[in-house]
Amino acid sequence: MGELVERVDERDDVLAVVEREEAIRHRWLHRISTIVCRNSAGQFLVHRRPDDVVLFPGQINWMLGGAVDVAESYEDAAARELVEELGVHARPRFLFKFLCEGVISPYWLGLHEVVVTEPVQPDRSEVAWHDWLTEAELTDLVRHREFVPDAREAFDRYRALPVRPGTV
């Protein structure tokens, strides 16, 4: 049996438990939780995905994350993914969620943010390279490099927040 997720509707209400591959194949809505990491200087963690992964191989992203497990909240999934992918123990703060059309399949994307104050220890099966960039550098990277397409929409929505974390 593959990874189980909750199939949800356009209001993000649970309809059934299904395998993630099945949700993607049938383009059923499910939940993804992501984390934006900033350091105390306000820079963003950016990473490149390994070349041998199934989803978005070799592409650059400004978010970490993955599928929300069955009966797991977006917030708990974000904290779990942060530990799994960076070895960082922190509680990311929920910012917003939106219905993302998605390149591979549509899904609800919950975006969280955390200020990372400890050294990161990336899981090399998830993160091939990483660096800390200013917002201006990230903005340039989003538009001009091999960037995960779904992450562009999340970045635009993040930048459109009336008051963004770390800017007050």
Side-chain angles (χ1 to χ4, degrees):
M1 176 152 298
E3 178 182 17
L4 295 178
V5 297
E6 292 172 332
R7 179 182 175 192
V8 296
D9 64 16
E10 51 283 333
R11 291 184 318 265
D12 198 15
D13 292 328
V14 176
L15 300 173
V17 173
V18 299
E19 289 188 25
R20 185 175 183 196
E21 287 183 14
E22 183 181 20
I24 290 170
R25 184 174 55 254
H26 292 289
R27 298 190 55 78
W28 292 335
L29 293 175
H30 55 289
R31 297 173 173 153
I32 301 293
S33 188
T34 63
I35 311 101
V36 172
C37 298
R38 299 185 75 179
N39 62 19
S40 56
Q43 295 172 307
F44 294 86
L45 181 81
V46 176
H47 71 284
R48 185 174 63 76
R49 297 194 34 86
D51 293 329
D52 60 352
V53 296
V54 174
L55 300 176
F56 309 112
Q59 292 188 321
I60 297 173
N61 202 340
W62 75 302
M63 303 180 299
L64 299 160
V68 176
D69 289 341
V70 174
E72 185 178 40
S73 70
Y74 284 99
E75 292 81 1
D76 288 344
R80 175 181 50 77
E81 292 286 347
L82 189 59
V83 171
E84 289 175 5
E85 296 190 23
L86 288 185
V88 172
H89 296 268
R91 188 72 181 170
R93 186 169 66 95
F94 180 82
L95 296 180
F96 59 87
K97 71 178 178 177
F98 68 97
L99 188 54
C100 182
E101 181 57 33
V103 171
I104 296 169
S105 172
Y107 56 90
W108 279 98
L109 185 146
L111 187 92
H112 302 75
E113 185 174 59
V114 68
V115 175
V116 176
T117 58
E118 60 188 89
V120 298
Q121 298 179 344
D123 175 348
R124 293 295 170 207
S125 69
E126 298 279 351
V127 177
W129 163 91
H130 74 279
D131 199 3
W132 295 95
L133 302 181
T134 65
E135 186 169 341
E137 292 167 328
L138 175 56
T139 300
D140 185 54
L141 188 65
V142 167
R143 304 291 175 232
H144 302 293
R145 297 261 178 126
E146 194 62 33
F147 208 81
V148 173
D150 297 357
R152 286 189 181 108
E153 181 178 4
F155 183 70
D156 291 341
R157 288 174 181 264
Y158 176 86
R159 291 195 67 205
L161 289 173
V163 176
R164 290 196 324 247
T167 61
V168 187

